[in-house]
Amino acid sequence: GGVGGMPIVLKTLDDGYEPARCKANTEKFIQEDVFALFGYVGTPTSKAAMSLVNDANIPFFAPFTGAEFLRTPLNKHVFNIRASYFNEIELQVERLVTDAGVTKIGLFYQEDTYGKVGKEGLQISLQKRKMTMTGEGFYQRNTEDVDAGLAALIAAKPEAVLMVGTYKACAAFVQKAAAAGFKPKFFNLSFVGTANFIKAAGDAAEGVYITQVVPSPFDESIPIVKQYRADMKAAGVAEGDYTSLEGYINAVALVEALKKTGPDLTRASFMAALEKLKVNLGGLDIAFSPTDHQGLSTVYLTKVQKGKP
């Protein structure tokens, strides 16, 4: 039945995680006069779309990235659900330093906007503790060419390595690290995609820590997770994962915001309604204001054990 009698039509285009293609896709969407842009995947891709978003005055809702430029300074068109990468990295560093007594932390990252955001976040967290990075290595987006980055970090001998990359590259990195006998504590950001990373890395995923921005997709004590699992089962999907749960939460939040906008549905009225949104989505409190477009800020730390997060 849609919202207020209006059905929701989801249009999707694949940018291949390439900024130029994302920009072209966004131009196409705007030319087709879509109502809002929803669930964009990635930091470099989202960055490529920003000038178009601003010029078109179009809502940019729930991107799948924790990049700081989508949060600071506040952009009136951008509404984030997930916690930021800075939030995730701060928790990782806090746990490493406080709980494990680690003093040497290195970084493996994607050499683009995404990796640079991660590097900035790590430097901020380390500077707070009067620490500096112990080595860094990088790779190029959409490749698995991790050998040079791994060699640089092996030479630096950190006790822990934070990874800011995609699942294929990070999987290749931990596999080759294991083969080389390099065994620091490995930490990944949520963007890696936990299920895909574990599948790609195999045994090398064991013991890797991954920060998450949504609760466990297996914890049915949380009402929205129970609802998600029931809907996934009804759709023929036996097992859920963190990535699809995040997408589900984003979709539920979008629909709630559309309902609260009312019958006079325009882009402007929708963004105005979002800035007043305060809702509990099955155990998750999501709220925006005119000065805060960040829906959630909680970060959860998980560890891969026996092939499960």
Side-chain angles (χ1 to χ4, degrees):
V3 177
M6 291 181 287
I8 296 173
V9 178
L10 183 64
K11 297 185 177 186
T12 60
L13 290 173
D14 182 4
D15 58 37
Y17 197 40
E18 290 294 348
R21 283 170 62 185
C22 180
K23 187 174 182 179
N25 288 348
T26 304
E27 287 172 342
K28 188 172 188 295
F29 282 143
I30 291 170
Q31 286 166 4
E32 292 175 356
D33 200 31
V34 300
F35 179 74
L37 302 173
F38 171 72
Y40 269 45
V41 175
T43 300
T45 38
S46 293
K47 193 171 185 67
M50 273 304 100
S51 62
L52 297 170
V53 167
N54 294 333
D55 290 345
N57 281 316
I58 190 167
F60 193 79
F61 190 84
F64 187 65
T65 165
E68 201 63 21
F69 72 83
L70 293 170
R71 292 159 172 81
T72 308
L74 183 137
N75 183 320
K76 67 178 182 178
H77 306 106
V78 179
F79 292 84
N80 301 288
I81 300 294
R82 61 169 21 241
S84 74
Y85 291 145
F86 283 12
N87 292 147
E88 290 191 60
I89 290 167
E90 173 61 22
L91 179 72
Q92 292 179 2
V93 172
E94 173 62 23
R95 297 277 69 82
L96 279 167
V97 174
T98 303
D99 296 349
V102 167
T103 59
K104 297 178 181 178
I105 301 175
L107 177 69
F108 175 68
Y109 64 97
Q110 185 168 285
E111 176 57 29
D112 67 358
T113 315
Y114 173 40
K116 288 170 184 172
V117 166
K119 184 174 179 178
E120 183 185 358
L122 177 56
Q123 287 172 328
I124 290 170
S125 288
L126 291 175
Q127 284 166 5
K128 280 173 59 177
R129 297 164 174 86
K130 295 183 170 54
M131 296 167 63
T132 56
M133 277 198 303
T134 304
E136 61 180 283
F138 60 85
Y139 74 100
Q140 300 302 318
R141 183 180 60 247
N142 280 336
T143 76
E144 295 166 49
D145 186 8
V146 303
D147 292 353
L150 176 60
L153 283 158
I154 289 174
K157 299 180 181 177
E159 300 165 275
V161 173
L162 272 55
M163 296 183 283
V164 183
T166 53
Y167 77 89
K168 287 183 180 179
C170 290
F173 183 79
V174 296
Q175 286 174 330
K176 291 187 175 187
F182 181 49
K183 297 179 181 178
K185 296 179 187 296
F186 288 118
F187 279 71
N188 243 315
L189 293 176
S190 59
F191 182 80
V192 77
T194 300
N196 284 335
F197 169 74
I198 292 172
K199 186 176 179 181
D203 292 343
E206 197 69 12
V208 173
Y209 294 87
I210 306 171
T211 42
Q212 312 290 353
V213 293
V214 294
S216 170
F218 313 108
D219 185 359
E220 291 198 6
S221 70
I222 302 168
I224 197 166
V225 175
K226 186 174 183 179
Q227 176 187 319
Y228 154 79
R229 290 180 64 81
D231 283 348
M232 291 290 278
K233 186 177 179 181
V237 181
E239 277 297 327
D241 58 47
Y242 282 95
T243 305
S244 67
L245 174 58
E246 180 176 345
Y248 184 88
I249 290 167
N250 294 344
V252 173
L254 177 70
V255 171
E256 284 300 311
L258 288 169
K259 287 177 181 176
K260 291 189 182 297
T261 306
D264 179 26
L265 192 58
T266 65
R267 289 172 179 171
S269 66
F270 177 61
M271 289 189 284
L274 276 171
E275 289 195 331
K276 300 173 188 171
L277 186 71
K278 190 173 184 180
V279 63
N280 182 281
L281 299 183
L284 295 179
D285 289 312
I286 294 176
F288 299 114
S289 77
T291 57
D292 185 0
H293 288 190
Q294 182 65 48
L296 296 172
S297 58
T298 303
V299 178
Y300 310 80
L301 184 61
T302 60
K303 183 181 182 180
V304 181
Q305 293 178 305
K306 297 180 180 178
K308 299 282 186 183

